[in-house]
Amino acid sequence: MGDDPVMYQIRVGGHLGPTLLTAFPAFEPEQQGTETVLTGPLPDTAALFGVLAQVEALGLDLLEVRRVRPAPAERSAPAGPPPSNGDAP
């Protein structure tokens, strides 16, 4: 695995209010029914375990942890100019 961050979704029971969400600044929250899904990048496994420890310390009901692929628009584009089609201007 490279040095790129990995996207995760962490699903917890209940709706997290603004105060609790401050504990997860790297994550984008989404309410889904009676659950909150936190989605965001983490640099490594140690960071994931840190977030999970925070979930436990706050007494949240951890339902699921999922590694997800970023949407195509979020993936980094190759550096440099676009490939040439061979036609000179």
Side-chain angles (χ1 to χ4, degrees):
M1 183 154 58
D3 293 334
D4 293 335
V6 176
M7 293 293 290
Y8 285 95
Q9 283 185 339
I10 299 172
R11 184 179 300 268
V12 297
H15 289 196
L16 303 187
T19 302
L20 280 176
L21 289 174
T22 62
F24 306 101
F27 289 88
E28 188 68 35
E30 179 183 346
Q31 304 300 324
Q32 293 184 354
T34 60
E35 303 169 355
T36 300
V37 178
L38 303 168
T39 304
L42 291 172
D44 53 31
T45 304
L48 173 62
F49 285 125
V51 171
L52 296 177
Q54 184 76 350
V55 168
E56 181 182 22
L58 293 170
L60 301 176
D61 185 18
L62 178 64
L63 303 175
E64 180 181 31
V65 177
R66 179 180 295 183
R67 184 176 172 173
V68 296
R69 295 179 188 250
E74 295 174 6
R75 293 183 185 146
S76 56
S84 171
N85 64 5
D87 296 332

